[in-house]
Structures are given as C-alpha cells and as structure tokens.
Amino acid sequence: SVDETDIEFLDEGAFKAVYRVISDLPVLAVAASKERGVEFPDEYRKLRFLYGKTPNHFPKPYDLVSLDEEGKNVLLMQYLDALRVNKFKGQNPGLDRQIAEAIGHSAGFVFQKTGMFSKEPHDGNILLNLEDGVVRARFVDVDHFNKGKEYELFDDYFLWRGWGRTECIENQSVFEEAFERGLVDAGYRK
C-alpha cells in the first residue's frame, strides 16, 4: 500500500501534475489530472500502443485508475531515471549535438514503427539520460503523439524555428541523419 509519505511532487504542466510514487512495485510516475474534465483513457491506450511497438522509447504503462465518481483519473507508468531536456543540458553542458542525435534517432525509430510522432516536443515531453556515455531520449507525454507525414515532423514541429527543439535546429544535419538511422534501425528499407 502507498500513503502520502510515499508520494513526491515532481512537476506540473498546463493540465497535469506529475508525482513519483515509491511502493513495493517498481518506482512509478503518476500523472494526475489537474483540471476537471482532463481524462487519461485515450492517452493510456496510446501509451500502451506506443510502448508495445517501441518499448525503449517510452515508459511502461501500468494502469489507469479512477479516483472518484467525477471521473478524475490517474495514469500510472514506469518512472524513468532521466531528466527533462533543459535540466539535462544544465547538468551536461556542451552535449547539444548528442541531444539532437538522440532525439532524432528516437523520433525516426518511433515514426517508422508507428507512423506517429510528437507534435509537442518541448522539454517536459522528452526525457534524457546518459547510458554508457551515450545520450538516450525517451518520450513521456503521448497525448500529442499523432499520425503524420515525415515533412510535418521536420517543418512543423522539431525544426520549426518558433517552437522546435533548439538543439535540433542548431544541429539540423545531425538530427536528420539520426532520424534516418532510426528509420533504418526500425526496419525501413529503401
């Protein structure tokens, strides 16, 4: 069982608050709805689909729990020992090329396996960590993962100068080459 002392507030977005729960099970992250009317059934199904196709790029979904009769939901998923992009960059300066490469590879791999990509690739939706000296990217908020065309991914989201990932824009060729490697690693054949 879990009591309040086992719950740690981690972060807050526009519609969600994120908590870390320590229990007898593996450590979990819980995204709880902040505002009435925000529900997670579709996001839970999408996370199950994306994790099922590309488990190294998403947290494992555990459960969707209804808290009360009003329909407030809590989405339980694997806690990833990783940092938001901006925090990771603060602790690991000078790694923008490797970050662009990690995000590009993950985006390409996921796109090839699912036809989907993040239409909101901001700091809170991508987590990074170092594994054996290599930067790894994981996507965590799948609410904005949708089907799309490859050119949309580049032009409208990751490389768009008004919204895109700065490290991907500044290292565009690295990002694009890693994206192509991700496609191939996921089974794309020309």
Side-chain angles (χ1 to χ4, degrees):
S1 86
V2 176
D3 64 33
E4 287 184 28
T5 60
D6 297 325
I7 299 173
E8 173 190 7
F9 174 77
L10 293 178
D11 205 351
E12 185 172 41
F15 298 103
K16 302 170 191 171
V18 181
Y19 301 87
R20 179 174 160 182
V21 178
I22 311 299
S23 71
D24 297 337
L25 300 172
V27 178
L28 307 173
V30 180
S33 62
K34 270 179 51 177
E35 298 182 6
R36 201 173 187 165
V38 176
E39 298 184 26
F40 294 114
D42 290 337
E43 189 169 347
Y44 178 66
R45 282 190 289 278
K46 198 180 287 187
L47 180 58
R48 286 183 53 201
F49 169 77
L50 290 164
Y51 178 83
K53 296 282 187 180
T54 59
N56 292 326
H57 301 278
F58 295 93
K60 182 178 182 176
Y62 288 128
D63 204 356
L64 180 66
V65 179
S66 181
L67 294 179
D68 56 31
E69 302 81 37
E70 294 177 9
K72 292 180 183 173
N73 297 312
V74 174
L75 176 60
L76 302 173
M77 67 186 87
Q78 175 186 15
Y79 173 79
L80 298 174
D81 189 18
L83 298 170
R84 294 169 62 132
V85 176
N86 59 342
K87 290 181 182 177
F88 181 85
K89 287 172 69 170
Q91 292 183 13
N92 301 280
L95 293 181
D96 280 4
R97 286 180 57 84
Q98 292 91 329
I99 292 169
E101 183 175 11
I103 293 171
H105 186 272
S106 288
F109 193 93
V110 170
F111 184 76
Q112 176 62 27
K113 290 287 190 182
T114 68
M116 300 173 80
F117 61 88
S118 175
K119 293 189 174 183
E120 198 173 286
H122 65 72
D123 284 336
N125 293 346
I126 301 172
L127 296 181
L128 301 171
N129 68 349
L130 277 172
E131 294 177 12
D132 299 322
V134 177
V135 177
R136 302 280 183 214
R138 307 254 181 343
F139 301 104
V140 290
D141 187 345
V142 301
D143 190 38
H144 300 285
F145 260 80
N146 294 298
K147 296 253 182 209
K149 305 289 183 207
E150 186 175 324
Y151 70 86
E152 290 178 305
L153 185 148
F154 291 115
D155 298 341
D156 297 339
Y157 300 102
F158 285 89
L159 299 176
W160 182 47
R161 303 239 179 247
W163 174 252
R165 300 272 357 130
T166 304
E167 54 285 325
C168 296
I169 293 167
E170 292 173 356
N171 297 282
Q172 184 171 343
S173 64
V174 171
F175 174 83
E176 290 175 350
E177 289 169 14
F179 182 86
E180 294 294 326
R181 270 196 325 282
L183 293 174
V184 171
D185 290 350
Y188 175 75
R189 303 290 177 251
K190 292 183 180 181

